[in-house]
Amino acid sequence: MQVFGVTPDGQAIHSFELTGGGLTARVLTLGGALQDLRLAGVPYSLVLGFPDLNSYLHSKAYIGANVGRFANRIAHGRASIAGQTYQFDTNFLGKHLLHGGSAGADRQVWTVTAHAENTLSLQLVLADGEMGFPGELTVELHYRLLPTSTLEVEFIATTNAPTLCNFAHHSYFNLDGTASIQNHQLQIAANHYLPVDAEAIPTGAIAAVENTAFDFRELKPINWQQAQYDHNFCTADSKQALRTVAHLQGRHGVGMTLATTEPGLQLYDGQYLDGGFAAHAGLALEPQAWPDAPNHAHFPSAELLPGQVYRQVTRYSFSQAAL
């Protein structure tokens, strides 16, 4: 454990290093952010991260953070929960909710509850009414470095009143250590995706990927000249047992396989990165519920009720092939 920096209001932010299974990770208490991730034999981090606290405080790109209590967007920052309509923070374009609001989980200091050589556990309590959401939500975040070069990220949450709960890990991956992901190839096990309007809000349609720029069912290059990617891929229509949903392959032999319990996977090509990172310096693959789910009855529900336990598990498994 080290002191990474001190916030303007005097809170110390700490960094924790984990090692195991051929991986080394560094996690911050601010947002529970994954700052650095190394694979043995690879001389660079596989995720984007800032070297100083000030950059994290001023960035709007959610780099390495854990976002919630509702990841992605809710149209007009408004939704009905258990028959009552709530107005949330409108931090996206001044009219929609994005990633839990301007003071969501990514902006808060998480409490470390356990730390071992290859594991780190953190906790955050989101107050009733915070960012407009009902219910006090208690969230646990567990990082584990497993054998076979696998990073496991687990969220567990409970509430004392009906609420929405949808967390996502928001690392940007670059498996080549270069300035751009232009030489990466991607595969996503999804037959459908969610089209969005000009403000990145789902239209409500569930569209087939076939014969579109969103067809990643076979491993292929990511071509952002063909399409700008900030879309949810429908990998299931409900939460599932842990299963593989994506594979990212770098040019220099490093690959990443992503397995998750979540029904959606947001692909974001990093076109609006900040803090010194150029556009497309990294690629976000965010396991989560479908965006704007509470406003579309035919989308999987993201409600959490008292007595229920929200649990999300995602595993990022890395490999290096000889070229």
Side-chain angles (χ1 to χ4, degrees):
M1 182 185 76
Q2 294 182 331
V3 175
F4 183 67
V6 180
T7 65
D9 63 356
Q11 285 185 288
I13 305 300
H14 294 91
S15 68
F16 288 80
E17 187 169 282
L18 311 178
T19 57
L23 293 173
T24 302
R26 190 179 304 118
V27 178
L28 306 178
T29 52
L30 179 67
L34 179 64
Q35 183 200 15
D36 194 276
L37 182 65
R38 309 266 171 157
L39 176 64
V42 178
Y44 48 81
S45 178
L46 303 178
V47 298
L48 302 188
F50 293 121
D52 60 90
L53 178 59
N54 194 55
S55 296
Y56 281 98
L57 295 176
H58 288 91
S59 174
K60 297 181 179 179
Y62 304 95
I63 290 177
N66 298 282
V67 296
R69 74 175 74 180
F70 194 94
N72 215 311
R73 295 160 179 87
I74 295 179
H76 307 292
R78 193 162 54 245
S80 178
I81 304 170
Q84 185 172 340
T85 299
Y86 292 88
Q87 179 64 57
F88 314 125
D89 188 39
T90 51
N91 61 316
F92 182 63
L93 304 178
K95 61 174 75 172
H96 309 296
L97 175 92
L98 176 62
H99 290 329
S102 55
D106 65 292
R107 290 288 170 182
Q108 304 209 28
V109 181
W110 294 61
T111 299
V112 172
T113 56
H115 178 217
E117 182 180 19
N118 65 335
T119 64
L120 179 69
S121 297
L122 307 100
Q123 186 183 73
L124 181 67
V125 178
L126 297 171
D128 177 32
E130 195 164 25
M131 297 288 99
F133 289 95
E136 181 181 272
L137 190 75
T138 301
V139 192
E140 299 173 15
L141 169 61
H142 303 280
Y143 283 101
R144 303 181 183 98
L145 299 183
L146 307 179
T148 65
S149 302
T150 295
L151 168 66
E152 180 177 89
V153 180
E154 180 183 32
F155 295 95
I156 299 173
T158 56
T159 182
N160 64 1
T163 191
L164 299 176
C165 187
N166 170 34
F167 282 83
H169 181 68
H170 204 298
S171 278
Y172 290 85
F173 297 94
N174 184 324
L175 305 184
D176 287 346
T178 54
S180 169
I181 54 158
Q182 63 183 353
N183 292 314
H184 286 56
Q185 296 186 80
L186 178 64
Q187 184 175 12
I188 301 176
N191 294 323
H192 297 85
Y193 77 103
L194 299 184
V196 297
D197 63 20
E199 297 181 345
I201 302 298
T203 63
I206 302 173
V209 300
E210 190 170 7
N211 298 320
T212 74
F214 298 90
D215 190 351
F216 287 97
R217 291 176 295 177
E218 301 292 334
L219 191 68
K220 72 172 190 180
I222 305 157
N223 185 352
W224 57 79
Q225 286 78 27
Q226 187 179 16
Q228 290 188 325
Y229 296 106
D230 194 1
H231 295 75
N232 177 77
F233 286 74
C234 307
T235 59
D237 56 10
S238 64
K239 194 179 284 280
Q240 303 286 309
L242 189 71
R243 81 281 184 216
T244 298
V245 299
H247 181 79
L248 184 66
Q249 184 64 50
R251 185 180 188 179
H252 304 312
V254 179
M256 181 186 77
T257 298
L258 191 158
T260 188
T261 55
E262 297 310 285
L265 183 69
Q266 186 81 5
L267 166 61
Y268 174 46
D269 63 15
Q271 58 190 290
Y272 299 117
L273 282 166
D274 61 16
F277 289 113
H280 312 296
L283 176 81
L285 291 167
E286 310 158 45
Q288 57 188 252
W290 297 8
D292 203 27
N295 291 315
H296 300 279
H298 58 298
F299 287 8
S301 174
E303 283 196 8
L304 182 67
L305 305 177
Q308 295 179 336
V309 177
Y310 170 92
R311 182 171 184 259
Q312 177 196 137
V313 179
T314 298
R315 289 180 180 171
Y316 308 88
S317 298
F318 298 89
S319 61
Q320 186 178 23
L323 295 179

